[in-house]
């Protein structure tokens, strides 16, 4: 067996990829990053660990998915260099996987919470990008928005409230600034200046009780005639 074929078979055994995917990886990267490179940043490692814990954690009626076709409903995992990770659920279990990943809570007096806290989703081509709010770390899951709706339905059937099934992920870097429009300057409300704010907040002053001194009056005291 050629060296590339041996490395391809080793990559397939570790990741569950098909031959074409594993061979493409070996040809592009060789063993420079190992067969399955770890995530570089600690934040990405924490996100991946939280996803795995949510899939393996049995809570109430939500049991881990069977291991017949893949561990916890995941058939393939393609880790790339850096912080790139793509997951493929087993066929037909996309909604079940999302049900265990997205946060939900039971209706008990002391509710139990499942899923990854703060997890959101966003469509990214053929994948759903999963990440926590206000973070840039992502894991791509081979699923569609329809699978999210199905996960919400399964969540309701299980007597749970899905906290984040309908909330999409907004990356901090993907927020586009508002485009300035040609609004007339007369229609723009300008905030009052500091002097105006001080004048509005201070109580009204009462007029002085003594005689008003004109600007032409001398500054020295005036002696009345006796």
């Amino acid at each position: 067996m050629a060296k590339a074929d041996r490395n391809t078979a080793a990559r397939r055994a570790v990741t569950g990829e098909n031959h074409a995917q594993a061979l493409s990886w070996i040809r592009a990267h060789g063993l420079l990053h190992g067969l399955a490179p770890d995530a570089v940043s600690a934040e990405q490692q924490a996100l991946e660990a939280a996803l795995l814990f949510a899939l393996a954690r049995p809570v109430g009626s939500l049991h881990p998915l069977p291991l017949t076709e893949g561990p916890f409903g995941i058939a393939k995992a393609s880790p790339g260099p850096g912080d790139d990770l793509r997951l493929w659920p087993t066929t037909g279990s996309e909604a079940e996987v999302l049900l265990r990943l997205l946060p939900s809570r039971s209706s008990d007096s002391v509710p139990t919470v499942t899923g990854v806290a703060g997890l959101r989703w966003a469509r990214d081509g053929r994948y759903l990008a999963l990440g926590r709010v206000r973070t840039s770390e992502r894991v791509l899951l081979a699923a569609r928005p329809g699978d999210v709706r199905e996960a919400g339905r399964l969540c309701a059937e299980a007597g749970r409230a899905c906290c984040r099934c309908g909330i999409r992920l907004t990356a901090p870097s993907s927020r586009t600034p508002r485009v300035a429009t040609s609004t007339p300057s007369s229609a723009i409300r300008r905030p009052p200046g500091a002097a105006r704010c001080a004048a509005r907040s201070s109580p009204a002053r009462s007029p002085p009780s003594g005689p008003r001194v004109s600007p032409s009056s001398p500054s020295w005291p005036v002696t009345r005639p006796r």
Side-chain angles (χ1 to χ4, degrees):
M1 179 183 294
K3 183 177 180 180
D5 293 336
R6 292 196 300 268
N7 294 339
T8 299
R11 167 87 178 181
R12 291 186 60 189
V14 172
T15 63
E17 296 173 336
N18 56 39
H19 181 79
Q21 291 172 325
L23 180 60
S24 176
W25 162 266
I26 294 299
R27 287 177 175 175
H29 305 283
L31 297 180
L32 179 62
H33 306 282
L35 290 173
D38 295 329
V40 175
S41 65
E43 294 78 10
Q44 180 69 22
Q45 294 176 7
L47 174 62
E48 295 176 7
L51 294 176
L52 178 59
F53 179 77
L55 291 175
R57 178 190 179 194
V59 178
S61 59
L62 295 180
H63 300 286
L65 294 174
L67 307 178
T68 53
E69 299 182 18
F72 310 117
I74 302 298
K76 295 184 295 184
S78 292
D83 289 339
D84 183 27
L85 177 62
R86 300 167 189 260
L87 302 176
W88 281 266
T90 58
T91 304
S93 64
E94 292 83 0
E96 293 283 356
V97 169
L98 288 168
L99 173 62
R100 287 155 177 80
L101 293 180
L102 295 173
S104 66
R105 66 178 182 272
S106 64
S107 57
D108 303 332
S109 56
V110 181
T112 57
V113 179
T114 60
V116 179
L119 192 69
R120 305 290 196 273
W121 65 272
R123 188 168 185 175
D124 189 351
R126 297 178 300 169
Y127 302 90
L128 295 183
L130 303 178
R132 287 169 169 162
V133 64
R134 298 187 183 93
T135 62
S136 59
E137 291 73 35
R138 301 287 182 267
V139 170
L140 297 181
L141 182 73
R144 297 183 178 183
D147 299 320
V148 179
R149 293 190 293 269
E150 179 64 15
R153 187 187 66 80
L154 295 175
C155 189
E157 288 183 354
R160 306 184 63 84
C162 193
C163 309
R164 294 293 180 263
C165 287
I167 300 181
R168 300 192 179 188
L169 172 70
T170 302
S173 59
S174 64
R175 295 177 181 176
T176 56
R178 295 182 179 179
V179 179
T181 57
S182 57
T183 305
S185 58
S186 59
I188 301 177
R189 297 187 59 183
R190 293 183 174 84
R196 294 174 61 187
C197 291
R200 290 181 179 179
S201 59
S202 60
R205 297 181 180 179
S206 57
S209 57
R212 302 180 67 179
V213 180
S214 61
S216 60
S217 300
S219 58
W220 58 86
V222 179
T223 305
R224 295 181 179 180
R226 296 180 180 178

